[in-house]
Amino acid sequence: MHSDFDHNTQYRRKVLQVLLVITFVGGFVFGLINIYRGLYILAGLEMGYGIFSFLVWRRIMNTTRFQFWVTAYLLPFFSIMMFALSVPNSSQSIYVWILTIPVISYLLMGRKPGLYFSIVFMTLGICIFHLKFLTDDIPLNVTVSLNVILSGVLMIALAHVYERNRETNEERLLELAGTDKLTGLANRMKLIDSFAATSEYAKRHNLDMSVVLFDLDFFKNINDLHGHHGGDAALCFVADFLKKHTRKSDLLARFGGEEFALVMQGSKPKDSFQQIDSLRKKLLETPFIYNKQTVNITFSAGISHYGADGVNLDDLLVKADERLYLAKEKGRNCVVDHNLKD
């Protein structure tokens, strides 16, 4: 649900904003320190990168090319870390910054790109560390080497597990947000969000598409006779029935109250009408049993067609709703499409 849950990108934009401020300030602070130490090339790189960070910070919250700027930010950032670790007179303390690579990579790039960046730059940093700081003391070298390697592997593993769990939890939240709690079908929000991709696919491949609105006939009588628990059970019964007798490629949703919606892709107008009318007849022949009592449930339906009745969901729902009310005026338990509206 990108329209309502563009959480991922916004979250990463805010993380990058913080990092850009830190690197802007840090670039000038470390640049001045390294000028004093006589490391002029490193100082120039750090201060130049600080200016670059400021320029990126000014536009990062509005750019549509977020991933491009993330890559443009991280490549020089990590490369300067490697260079700082390798220059003469640098200290082992720079390796602390190398350990931040997995965290930063996963936070800004996600699981797979974050893993690739982490492996490449952590491996490079560990190799530079070994070439520069290991001594002739073999036992000490083994101890230092193990600490450096294991700390690097641990940081990558922790960042990977965290990001995988975060993605799983986010997917679960999105699924719950788009699911009707009572029936388990998609809800109105999921219908709206999914229609954009479905209609784009239909347009690209020149496919027919229909939108159907169902309304259970005399549903208030079920509530009055059997209580709200009976009404809820009836809704679940109809939801299961519709799910069982519609295609997996179609999008079925509870639209609200006793209304259901169905987006049928690849069905010509005539076929859509026949399929929904056949569904109506099957429901009439499938009684709902509640507290050992047989409850006959029927529905009225209105159908609209992509292209002929509009190309956006609102227009299609308006037309389907108009025909749904025509079906009710005709005595209920019937289906109306554009061929019958007059």
Side-chain angles (χ1 to χ4, degrees):
M1 258 152 269
H2 295 90
S3 58
D4 296 292
F5 289 93
D6 194 13
H7 170 75
N8 210 6
T9 302
Q10 291 302 319
Y11 155 78
R12 286 176 176 158
R13 286 180 196 269
K14 291 176 182 178
V15 171
L16 183 54
Q17 268 194 319
V18 173
L19 286 170
L20 287 167
V21 172
I22 292 173
T23 48
F24 169 67
V25 175
F28 278 90
V29 171
F30 285 114
L32 292 173
I33 292 172
N34 285 320
I35 288 175
Y36 177 77
R37 296 175 63 203
L39 302 175
Y40 299 114
I41 296 178
L42 179 58
L45 288 173
E46 289 172 335
M47 297 181 81
Y49 187 67
I51 295 172
F52 172 73
S53 298
F54 174 74
L55 296 175
V56 175
W57 175 81
R58 292 186 61 185
R59 62 177 302 170
I60 198 61
M61 291 305 291
N62 299 317
T63 182
T64 57
R65 303 177 65 196
F66 177 73
Q67 203 57 48
F68 167 80
W69 286 109
V70 167
T71 305
Y73 168 76
L74 290 184
L75 279 174
F77 186 27
F78 295 160
S79 298
I80 291 171
M81 282 188 192
M82 301 301 117
F83 181 74
L85 188 63
S86 65
V87 296
N89 301 324
S90 62
S91 70
Q92 296 182 8
S93 63
I94 295 176
Y95 186 73
V96 173
W97 284 97
I98 305 300
L99 290 175
T100 66
I101 288 174
V103 176
I104 295 172
S105 298
Y106 276 92
L107 284 175
L108 292 181
M109 306 190 80
R111 185 154 47 97
K112 287 186 178 179
L115 177 63
Y116 300 147
F117 260 61
S118 298
I119 290 175
V120 169
F121 283 102
M122 286 295 292
T123 300
L124 186 59
I126 289 171
C127 290
I128 294 172
F129 184 92
H130 277 72
L131 290 173
K132 184 173 180 184
F133 294 110
L134 292 189
T135 66
D136 295 329
D137 189 335
I138 294 178
L140 179 60
N141 287 346
V142 171
T143 301
V144 172
S145 182
L146 284 174
N147 279 317
V148 169
I149 293 172
L150 289 177
S151 63
V153 171
L154 177 63
M155 291 302 296
I156 292 176
L158 290 175
H160 191 82
V161 169
Y162 168 80
E163 184 63 20
R164 184 178 62 184
N165 288 338
R166 190 196 64 77
E167 288 178 358
T168 300
N169 290 335
E170 186 173 84
E171 288 171 2
R172 178 60 178 158
L173 287 172
L174 290 174
E175 181 183 345
L176 289 172
T179 302
D180 176 63
K181 292 181 180 179
L182 177 64
T183 63
L185 299 179
N187 59 19
R188 184 189 293 230
M189 184 168 60
K190 179 66 178 291
L191 175 71
I192 294 170
D193 188 74
S194 300
F195 182 82
T198 304
S199 61
E200 184 62 31
Y201 183 85
K203 180 181 178 181
R204 188 183 308 122
H205 296 279
N206 197 28
L207 297 175
D208 291 294
M209 187 169 66
S210 300
V211 173
V212 187
L213 277 182
F214 306 89
D215 188 275
L216 302 190
D217 298 326
F218 303 110
F219 182 72
K220 185 177 183 297
N221 293 344
I222 297 176
N223 274 332
D224 291 342
L225 291 172
H226 302 282
H228 289 291
H229 289 296
D232 288 349
L235 289 171
C236 291
F237 167 79
V238 173
D240 291 340
F241 173 85
L242 293 174
K243 187 174 181 180
K244 181 180 178 181
H245 292 92
T246 53
R247 300 172 301 181
K248 291 184 179 179
S249 58
D250 296 336
L251 177 60
L252 177 65
R254 184 184 178 195
F255 197 65
E258 64 270 24
E259 280 192 330
F260 297 86
L262 179 68
V263 178
M264 305 174 67
Q265 193 175 84
S267 294
K268 295 183 180 300
K270 182 179 179 181
D271 295 332
S272 298
F273 176 82
Q274 291 176 345
Q275 291 169 28
I276 299 305
D277 198 50
S278 175
L279 202 62
R280 176 190 64 80
K281 293 174 183 177
K282 286 179 183 177
L283 180 60
L284 186 61
E285 297 167 357
T286 310
F288 167 55
I289 308 298
Y290 183 75
N291 285 342
K292 299 181 180 180
Q293 297 182 47
T294 299
V295 181
N296 292 317
I297 300 176
T298 62
F299 67 69
S300 302
I303 308 175
S304 61
H305 305 284
Y306 184 79
D309 295 315
V311 294
N312 63 65
L313 184 59
D314 287 340
D315 290 341
L316 292 169
L317 287 173
V318 167
K319 288 294 183 183
D321 194 49
E322 289 175 1
R323 290 157 193 168
L324 170 60
Y325 277 93
L326 284 174
K328 291 182 178 181
E329 289 177 0
K330 289 171 66 69
R332 293 181 168 84
N333 189 27
C334 66
V335 181
V336 173
D337 75 357
H338 68 290
N339 294 318
L340 303 175
K341 65 181 180 180
D342 296 328

